[in-house]
Amino acid sequence: MLSYRLTASGVLPGVWLMLEERWVHEGTGERMTLRGASAAGFGRTTVVRCGLQAPGRGVYVREALIVRASDAFGLLRVERRSGGGGQLWVLPRVGAVAAEPGAGPDGTRPPVRQPQAWTAAAQVSGTRPYAPGDPLRRIHWRSTARTGELRAKETELPAAVRQLVVLDAAGAGESTGAALWADPALAAAVEAAAGIARRGLELGGRVRLAVSDGQGSVAEAQGRERFGELLQLLAAVPRGGARPEAFAALALRESRQAGVGAVTLVTARADAQLAAALRLLPRGAARVVFVHGPGALPGPVHAWKRQLESLGCRVTLAPANGPAAPPKGGAGHALSGT
């Protein structure tokens, strides 16, 4: 359910206000129409609520906004149309964190207390716009006074508390173009990446998310209140199309830049190039989360898994129909729009 506030001067109480918005999916071209109606009250502001039928993940661009006013008898009809503008992000589910050796029955590890040295080593590297939910102690008052807007401290943490998540945007490797949006393997990989990223933020680290899509999308965040920024990037995968041949190279480049931080590679394909890339990294530097469908894994996938493990790479198998983590934050990070 979406709520809109309409401000209309000169509208008599009892007149019905009807709102219609038309949206188009940026990746598939699929269209979605939202409609709602409400009787105008005595004030100038009227709230109109529109039902939403579980739209698919992605970025929607508004094509048109139509507002109509009508009396109860249909004798008076006023209509106002405006063009496009604005975007609507339908964010992905957050998958339960894929299990690692030694993890608990829910697939997660117990929280790890950060060494005191990590906290002491954090240095202010710059400032950024203050985000709702940031603690007051993070406000950079000098920059705030100079710019006239609230600015928050941006801190640089040691590599040991950074987490890199690299997502393969090719899904199972069988779909291309608009069909990728319907690939259940890609949807599951996106959800797994979201769960891993959220866990890293909850442990107090900085999470960098890189995607092998057509735009080489990258986002970085620190603090659980910034999780929505990573989800917004994941909502748009695979923006510009997938680049299957780029995943291994992206994983190698990002892993080298991550230094000694935690590295997790999320894929739904047994990418032969990935083993060659991992050979160029320190042994055990990366972990691979492999998203798979129902049924037994085919023989080639088992052989690929053994090859990675022989290089010291931990391989975690994550079923595509795994459970979603409980939603947190606002409406569960379900929807975002401008």
Side-chain angles (χ1 to χ4, degrees):
M1 182 73 68
L2 295 181
S3 297
Y4 298 81
R5 292 184 179 274
L6 301 182
T7 301
S9 58
V11 175
L12 297 176
V15 170
W16 279 88
L17 295 177
M18 289 154 282
L19 181 144
E20 179 178 314
E21 273 193 317
R22 297 172 185 173
W23 299 86
V24 59
H25 193 285
E26 184 181 72
T28 66
E30 177 185 359
R31 282 175 165 76
M32 174 177 66
T33 301
L34 305 181
R35 293 186 178 92
S38 178
F42 287 93
R44 294 182 60 188
T45 301
T46 301
V47 177
V48 178
R49 292 180 172 83
C50 298
L52 193 63
Q53 298 296 323
R57 176 185 62 86
V59 181
Y60 293 78
V61 179
R62 187 167 61 191
E63 285 188 318
L65 170 63
I66 305 170
V67 179
R68 301 183 180 94
S70 174
D71 65 358
F73 303 99
L75 300 177
L76 169 68
R77 288 184 64 87
V78 179
E79 180 177 297
R80 179 175 179 179
R81 293 174 176 257
S82 59
Q87 292 181 319
L88 183 71
W89 287 270
V90 178
L91 307 180
R93 296 192 325 160
V94 180
V97 180
E100 291 186 82
D106 63 348
T108 62
R109 290 183 176 275
V112 178
R113 184 179 297 276
Q114 296 179 1
Q116 187 65 31
W118 290 1
T119 304
Q123 299 292 328
V124 176
S125 60
T127 65
R128 58 170 173 78
Y130 179 84
D134 282 344
L136 291 179
R137 65 178 179 274
R138 293 200 64 174
I139 295 178
H140 196 280
W141 295 107
R142 184 176 300 175
S143 297
T144 297
R146 185 175 64 253
T147 63
E149 63 172 357
L150 280 176
R151 304 287 298 179
K153 301 173 186 176
E154 191 76 276
T155 55
E156 186 71 22
L157 294 178
V161 292
R162 293 177 183 153
Q163 172 144 11
L164 168 67
V165 182
V166 183
L167 173 63
D168 183 0
E174 300 168 356
S175 303
T176 58
L180 258 176
W181 291 92
D183 187 337
L186 177 59
V190 167
E191 293 169 9
I196 295 166
R198 187 173 78 177
R199 185 60 173 159
L201 294 179
E202 288 177 343
L203 292 176
R206 178 187 294 275
V207 175
R208 179 177 175 84
L209 175 63
V211 184
S212 63
D213 58 11
Q215 297 188 4
S217 301
V218 177
E220 198 164 326
Q222 180 185 343
R224 65 184 67 189
E225 69 279 355
R226 304 277 302 279
F227 181 48
E229 299 173 22
L230 301 183
L231 280 182
Q232 195 163 310
L233 182 150
L234 291 172
V237 174
R239 176 169 276 178
R243 298 176 60 210
E245 74 288 349
F247 176 61
L250 177 66
L252 176 61
R253 181 174 67 253
E254 290 285 343
S255 298
R256 282 174 166 171
Q257 293 176 356
V260 296
V263 177
T264 304
L265 314 178
V266 183
T267 183
R269 300 181 301 130
D271 185 3
Q273 299 179 15
L274 190 58
L278 292 175
R279 286 192 181 94
L280 301 177
L281 294 174
R283 185 177 179 84
R287 166 197 177 202
V288 171
V289 173
F290 179 72
V291 178
H292 62 92
L297 295 179
V301 173
H302 279 291
W304 175 77
K305 178 176 177 290
R306 289 193 298 269
Q307 183 184 25
L308 298 186
E309 290 173 338
S310 70
L311 299 173
C313 178
R314 293 167 296 157
V315 180
T316 301
L317 302 179
N321 57 350
K328 295 182 181 179
H333 293 304
L335 204 64
S336 175
T338 60

